[in-house]
């Protein structure tokens, strides 16, 4: 996924770039409104737009982008007034994130906007997970027998299965399973991953450093004896 980050503060831009790249995004940076309009390419999936730029207001940038593109736009701003939010939404932004914000919240908002805009990656191709999930019964059917899951374990496994073989960000999992981007839910996520590993095997769910987790296809799993 490719994001155009429009931010004039070099320190903020550097920190955001590191966080976004660590979560799997490819980042292009522009420091002014004119540079942002020039830097927008057809393969851009999402624009993170600071509304307070040195040369042009974010509303101007949004209007110029909307003349030629329907790319998803998330506004980043310190403006909390209702009038500012309404003006940005009417100018064409898809979501509005008020500073200060956590990276987890921003990533969850980006995932949600990309999902609505249809710019998330294509669904992962079918892979052999080594088991079958019966979500209605909350059971995993394996060659060794059925494994009973709790409601949240089942939702978490289903979310990972939908992207089997691909990393899923922590923020996306927290948003989808717990309907929250609150950073405190991160520990809850880790605990549930641990219980899934205990029930299904340690090699089923892999930690992807700096991103989140992925379900490992059975063909890629390392037998216990070889670890």
């Amino acid at each position: 996924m490719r994001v155009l980050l429009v931010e004039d503060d070099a320190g903020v831009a550097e920190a955001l770039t590191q966080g976004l790249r660590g979560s799997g995004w490819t980042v292009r940076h522009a420091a002014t409104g004119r540079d942002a309009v020039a830097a927008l390419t057809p393969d851009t999936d999402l624009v993170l737009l600071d509304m307070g730029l040195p040369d042009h207001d974010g509303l101007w940038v949004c209007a110029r982008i909307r003349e030629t593109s329907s790319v998803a736009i998330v506004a980043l701003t310190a403006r909390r007034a209702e009038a500012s939010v309404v003006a940005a939404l009417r100018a064409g932004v898809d979501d509005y994130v008020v500073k200060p914000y956590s990276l987890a919240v921003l990533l969850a908002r980006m995932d949600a906007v990309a999902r609505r805009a249809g710019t998330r990656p294509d669904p992962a191709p079918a892979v052999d997970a080594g088991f079958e999930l019966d979500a209605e019964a909350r059971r995993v059917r394996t060659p060794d027998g059925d494994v009973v899951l709790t409601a949240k374990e089942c939702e978490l496994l289903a979310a990972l299965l939908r992207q089997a073989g691909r990393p899923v960000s922590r923020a996306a999992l927290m948003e989808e399973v717990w309907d929250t981007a609150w950073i405190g839910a991160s520990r809850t996520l880790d605990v549930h991953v641990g219980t899934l590993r205990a029930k299904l095997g340690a090699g089923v769910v892999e930690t992807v450093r700096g991103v989140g987790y992925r379900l490992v296809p059975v063909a890629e799993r390392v037998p216990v004896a070889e670890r």
Side-chain angles (χ1 to χ4, degrees):
M1 294 287 282
R2 296 161 294 275
V3 59
L4 173 60
L5 171 62
V6 188
E7 171 61 63
D8 63 305
D9 186 307
V12 172
E14 177 62 24
L16 270 178
T17 296
Q18 291 182 8
L20 292 169
R21 285 177 176 164
S23 297
W25 288 82
T26 298
V27 183
R28 183 186 301 115
H29 174 235
T32 68
R34 286 195 178 278
D35 286 348
V37 174
L40 185 67
T41 57
D43 64 350
T44 302
D45 295 303
L46 188 143
V47 176
L48 281 181
L49 176 60
D50 182 12
M51 299 301 284
L53 298 169
D55 60 340
H56 288 287
D57 186 89
L59 296 177
W60 179 91
V61 179
C62 187
R64 299 292 79 74
I65 290 174
R66 285 289 174 251
E67 289 175 356
T68 59
S69 175
S70 60
V71 66
I73 302 175
V74 175
L76 306 176
T77 180
R79 304 170 189 171
R80 297 175 176 271
E82 182 178 284
S84 296
V85 178
V86 171
L89 293 172
R90 286 180 173 169
V93 306
D94 297 279
D95 203 352
Y96 194 92
V97 180
V98 177
K99 303 174 183 179
Y101 52 81
S102 71
L103 181 61
V105 167
L106 179 60
L107 289 169
R109 293 288 189 89
M110 291 170 66
D111 280 342
V113 167
R115 184 166 58 248
R116 292 196 300 268
T119 54
R120 287 174 63 90
D122 294 333
V127 297
D128 183 4
F131 56 79
E132 178 183 340
L133 175 63
D134 183 341
E136 186 174 346
R138 296 179 187 167
R139 289 177 178 271
V140 174
R141 310 202 185 281
T142 76
D144 298 322
D146 289 3
V147 177
V148 179
L149 303 179
T150 67
K152 289 303 181 186
E153 287 170 353
C154 185
E155 290 180 44
L156 176 58
L157 184 59
L160 291 168
L161 267 171
R162 280 191 287 274
Q163 293 295 325
R166 289 177 173 171
V168 186
S169 73
R170 299 174 69 87
L173 290 170
M174 288 189 289
E175 181 77 14
E176 183 168 350
V177 179
W178 285 274
D179 194 27
T180 181
W182 177 52
I183 195 64
S186 182
R187 177 56 182 161
T188 299
L189 170 60
D190 295 337
V191 170
H192 281 75
V193 168
T195 60
L196 281 180
R197 286 169 171 164
K199 291 182 177 182
L200 301 177
V204 172
V205 180
E206 176 184 71
T207 300
V208 182
R209 182 177 291 275
V211 180
Y213 296 100
R214 80 174 186 118
L215 186 102
V216 182
V218 67
E220 297 180 22
R221 291 176 203 159
V222 179
V224 174
E226 295 181 17
R227 293 179 190 158

